[in-house]
């Protein structure tokens, strides 16, 4: 069985060991590329069929590698294995978050002549008895809210969101799963609620 | 449900739907295309798919492995940074010998004491490394040895009845709860342990977690101080497992509810106890 120790490999790569850096990049390229591609293809709208998506995947993937190593490898060193997130899932979450952030904050879309960049979608608050157009807009609002949420949450925050709301585990189950105290899990639940509330308020005020 | 929780659940639902939609558009073969681990047949399938639509063609280009040239460029960019000396994590000091001694207020049941003495004799006889650990590295464990839970001593025992079997140990605030679990023989493979309590569908993690030493497991704490359980009948569980090989809590509970307490990499042992309200001092 593979004995690879991600913490040791990160330590060596940050210290400038070229062989360790090469091994780390080789192992992480598929997961970063795959996550970047999935986000990019989801954001790709309109009829920019001639667009060179591969170049964009390369650029974004390289950006994410450099982001992982910047500030003395702050992001890489922030992975905590005991929190229950595997190293590859952690990197994948960072890749998704960073890609969403880049695409959302770009003043010019990579597809300049794209007729419907995501930022221009109208924001409509979800209401009951909505028309199909309003329901579609609500879904679009939720999608945008989700992208903002992903962008703002740390990998640990996303992991807690996954356990509490995607997998719908009870607080007690999350305590057992992560080894965190009940207080810490309750605080994360409050943070998630505050974040959702803040992002909704920001979006409803418009650009 | 609060408004905030409603939105969080909606976000979770959107995420699930998005993931499902994405997986139906681009299943896991596309991830393996990026990883270069497709079989020749799968690669041919995706290539054929790429010729059927513009979307698939673009996807094939995007997921196709970035290759060694890309990786080499990235490595060179990374190495332009100043190296960061990150200290190697220091191995924690070896644990102090566990105090496998009863507290002055406890007396061991004769059978439990005999089991402990037998294990001590086994340890003296088998003062060699487990041959399995010489052959297997830590990443490949032999099946976990069978564990036994030593009898648990309470302040007293129930007399039986509809709510608790006869002989259920009874505890109250201030009592020391001690659970000892032993493998069938001395081992050197690392094991970890987790403890929690259940009552029907209710699951309560314990603030105090077990300690392990050469495979033996000890959970010892005072009710009302390190261990907090409301009055009533509880089942205390200790799960012994190879490092990293314990299932997620939800799956584990499902296995235990189905009566499956033993696998190659983990074993769950349990004892029923009763926690009584403390009687006020006269």
């Amino acid at each position: 069985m593979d004995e690879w120790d991600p913490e040791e490999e990160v330590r060596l790569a940050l210290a400038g060991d070229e062989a360790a850096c090469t091994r780390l990049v080789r192992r992480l390229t598929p997961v970063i590329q795959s996550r970047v591609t999935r986000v990019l293809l989801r954001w790709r709208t309109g009829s920019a069929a001639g667009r060179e998506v591969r170049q964009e995947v390369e650029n974004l993937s390289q950006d994410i590698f450099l982001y992982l190593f910047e500030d003395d490898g702050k992001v890489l060193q922030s992975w905590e294995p005991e929190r229950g997130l595997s190293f590859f899932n952690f990197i994948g979450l960072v890749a998704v978050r960073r890609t969403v952030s880049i695409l959302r904050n770009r003043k010019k879309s990579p597809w300049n002549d794209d007729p419907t960049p995501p930022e221009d979608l109208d924001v409509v608050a979800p209401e009951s008895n909505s028309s199909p157009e309003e329901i579609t807009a609500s879904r679009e609002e939720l999608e945008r809210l989700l992208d903002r949420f992903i962008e703002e949450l740390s990998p640990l925050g996303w992991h807690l969101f996954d356990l509490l709301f995607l997998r719908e585990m009870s607080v007690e189950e999350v305590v057992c799963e992560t080894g965190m105290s009940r207080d810490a899990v309750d605080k994360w639940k409050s943070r998630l609620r505050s974040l959702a509330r803040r992002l909704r308020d920001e979006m409803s005020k418009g650009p | 449900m609060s408004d905030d929780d409603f939105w969080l659940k909606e976000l979770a639902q959107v995420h699930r739907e998005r993931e499902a939609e994405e997986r139906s558009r681009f299943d896991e073969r596309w991830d393996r295309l990026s990883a270069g681990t497709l079989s020749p047949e799968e690669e041919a399938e995706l290539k054929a798919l790429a010729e059927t639509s513009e979307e698939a063609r673009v996807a094939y280009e995007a997921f196709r492995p970035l290759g060694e040239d890309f990786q080499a460029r990235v490595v060179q960019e990374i190495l332009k940074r100043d190296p960061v000396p990150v200290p190697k994590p220091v191995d924690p000091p070896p644990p102090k010998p566990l105090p496998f001694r009863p507290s002055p207020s406890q007396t061991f049941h004769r059978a439990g004491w005999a089991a402990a003495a037998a294990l001590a004799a086994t340890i003296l006889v088998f003062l060699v490394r487990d041959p399995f650990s010489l052959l297997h590295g830590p990443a490949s464990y032999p099946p976990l040895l069978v564990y036994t839970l030593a009898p648990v001593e309470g302040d007293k025992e129930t007399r039986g009845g509809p709510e608790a079997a006869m002989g259920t140990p009874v505890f109250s605030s201030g009592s020391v709860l001690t659970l000892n679990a032993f493998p069938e023989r001395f081992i050197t493979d690392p094991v970890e342990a987790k403890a929690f309590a259940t009552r029907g569908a209710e699951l309560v993690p314990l603030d105090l977690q077990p300690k392990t030493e050469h495979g033996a497991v000890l959970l010892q704490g005072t009710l009302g101080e390190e261990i907090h359980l409301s009055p009533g009948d509880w089942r205390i569980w200790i799960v012994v497992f190879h490092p990293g090989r314990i299932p997620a809590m939800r799956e584990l509970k499902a296995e235990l509810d189905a009566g499956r307490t033993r696998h190659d990499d983990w074993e769950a042992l349990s004892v029923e106890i009763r926690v009584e309200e403390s009687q006020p001092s006269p």
Side-chain angles (χ1 to χ4, degrees):
Chain A
M1 190 183 284
D2 197 354
E3 282 282 347
W4 188 62
D5 179 351
E7 285 182 294
E8 179 64 7
E9 200 84 294
V10 163
R11 189 185 70 79
L12 290 170
L14 287 171
D17 183 321
E18 185 169 349
C21 194
T22 301
R23 287 192 300 267
L24 192 62
V25 168
R26 187 184 315 131
R27 281 184 184 263
L28 295 184
T29 297
V31 67
I32 290 176
Q33 178 188 1
S34 172
R35 302 292 175 104
V36 162
T37 300
R38 286 177 179 277
V39 174
L40 197 60
L41 293 180
R42 189 174 67 236
W43 275 65
R44 185 176 178 265
T45 58
S47 57
R51 192 75 58 182
E52 191 46 67
V53 71
R54 186 165 177 81
Q55 187 61 53
E56 191 60 27
V57 169
E58 280 197 24
N59 292 345
L60 286 167
S61 299
Q62 177 163 316
D63 177 277
I64 284 159
F65 271 112
L66 297 180
Y67 171 67
L68 288 171
F69 279 85
E70 76 183 22
D71 282 342
D72 295 342
K74 187 173 97 173
V75 173
L76 272 178
Q77 293 194 68
S78 68
W79 175 59
E80 292 174 83
E82 59 275 7
R83 291 296 186 214
L85 205 56
S86 76
F87 185 64
F88 288 107
N89 278 342
F90 169 80
I91 297 295
L93 281 174
V94 170
V96 167
R97 192 163 161 252
R98 178 81 176 164
T99 305
V100 166
S101 181
I102 289 172
L103 295 178
R104 201 182 65 79
N105 289 307
R106 265 184 190 167
K107 289 186 178 169
K108 286 183 182 180
S109 158
W111 295 284
N112 290 337
D113 54 358
D114 191 304
T116 56
E119 289 80 0
D120 289 346
L121 290 170
D122 289 333
V123 175
V124 174
E127 292 172 13
S128 58
N129 303 320
S130 305
S131 68
E133 293 75 20
E134 283 168 332
I135 290 168
T136 304
S138 298
R139 170 61 190 243
E140 284 165 350
E141 184 199 32
L142 282 169
E143 292 259 7
R144 289 178 56 202
L145 185 60
L146 180 61
D147 284 334
R148 289 295 315 279
F149 200 65
I150 290 169
E151 194 186 336
E152 297 259 348
L153 271 182
S154 65
L156 177 58
W158 182 263
H159 184 49
L160 270 293
F161 175 73
D162 175 43
L163 296 177
L164 289 163
F165 291 95
L166 286 170
R167 291 202 252 170
E168 295 178 317
M169 292 168 87
S170 67
V171 170
E172 289 76 16
E173 286 171 318
V174 174
V175 166
C176 272
E177 179 78 17
T178 61
M180 294 168 75
S181 68
R182 200 205 157 96
D183 264 350
V185 175
D186 282 338
K187 278 187 182 138
W188 265 108
K189 234 180 158 176
S190 292
R191 276 187 214 131
L192 292 172
R193 289 182 183 124
S194 299
L195 177 62
R197 192 184 320 129
R198 176 171 66 79
L199 294 177
R200 268 172 35 228
D201 289 346
E202 282 175 13
M203 283 174 61
S204 65
K205 284 176 188 150
Chain B
M1 187 196 307
S2 72
D3 198 36
D4 296 330
D5 275 4
F6 168 79
W7 279 97
L8 286 166
K9 285 178 192 291
E10 287 289 292
L11 285 176
Q13 184 58 27
V14 168
H15 179 75
R16 277 189 212 102
E17 288 167 7
R18 179 191 274 185
E19 294 268 291
E21 205 177 286
E22 207 175 86
R23 290 288 156 191
S24 73
R25 273 174 86 199
F26 304 117
D27 59 33
E28 50 84 29
R29 290 175 301 171
W30 296 93
D31 299 318
R32 289 194 285 112
L33 172 60
S34 296
T37 56
L38 286 176
S39 67
E41 294 78 21
E42 287 173 324
E43 184 147 9
E45 276 169 17
L46 289 187
K47 273 191 179 154
L49 197 59
E51 288 167 19
T52 62
S53 73
E54 180 61 15
E55 184 193 40
R57 184 196 71 78
V58 168
Y60 191 89
E61 278 303 297
F63 278 104
R64 191 164 56 80
L66 290 173
E68 288 182 3
D69 287 346
F70 166 82
Q71 291 172 16
R73 281 200 305 276
V74 167
V75 169
Q76 291 314 307
E77 285 298 315
I78 290 170
L79 292 175
K80 284 179 185 172
R81 305 163 22 260
D82 291 329
V84 179
V86 179
K88 193 167 179 167
V90 174
D91 287 336
K96 292 179 189 170
L98 287 172
F100 284 94
R101 300 186 303 269
S103 65
S105 62
Q106 280 190 304
T107 51
F108 276 97
H109 188 280
R110 282 187 183 180
W113 200 215
L119 179 63
T122 305
I123 290 170
L124 284 172
V125 171
F126 287 99
L127 277 179
V128 294
R129 287 169 65 87
D130 182 327
F132 258 114
S133 68
L134 293 174
L135 297 172
H136 298 271
S140 170
Y141 300 110
L144 193 68
L145 294 178
V146 174
Y147 271 73
T148 303
L149 196 61
V152 176
E153 293 278 326
D155 300 335
K156 58 184 179 184
E157 291 181 352
T158 59
R159 293 183 183 182
E163 292 175 357
M166 190 177 292
T168 298
V170 179
F171 297 86
S172 55
S173 185
S175 305
V176 177
L177 170 67
T178 302
L179 266 66
N180 273 328
F182 305 99
E184 54 195 320
R185 57 189 165 87
F186 179 77
I187 61 173
T188 56
D189 280 341
V191 293
E192 294 174 10
K194 212 173 229 199
F196 54 90
T198 59
R199 178 164 60 186
E202 190 183 352
L203 185 148
V204 173
L206 298 182
D207 292 330
L208 180 69
Q209 287 298 306
K211 297 177 185 172
T212 61
E213 177 95 9
H214 296 304
V217 179
L218 173 70
L219 178 75
Q220 188 172 62
T222 305
L223 260 80
E225 291 178 25
E226 295 103 1
I227 298 175
H228 299 276
L229 293 171
S230 56
D233 293 325
W234 291 92
R235 184 166 285 278
I236 309 295
W237 292 91
I238 284 185
V239 184
V240 189
F241 54 97
H242 287 135
R245 306 286 178 92
I246 186 173
M249 190 47 61
R250 178 167 280 191
E251 282 169 49
L252 178 63
K253 183 122 190 333
E255 289 287 287
L256 300 181
D257 288 342
R260 292 186 288 268
T261 58
R262 183 170 167 77
H263 288 254
D264 281 351
D265 282 317
W266 62 267
E267 181 169 5
L269 306 108
S270 68
V271 64
E272 268 196 21
I273 69 166
R274 172 170 288 180
V275 177
E276 283 186 343
E277 297 264 8
S278 294
Q279 295 301 319
S281 310

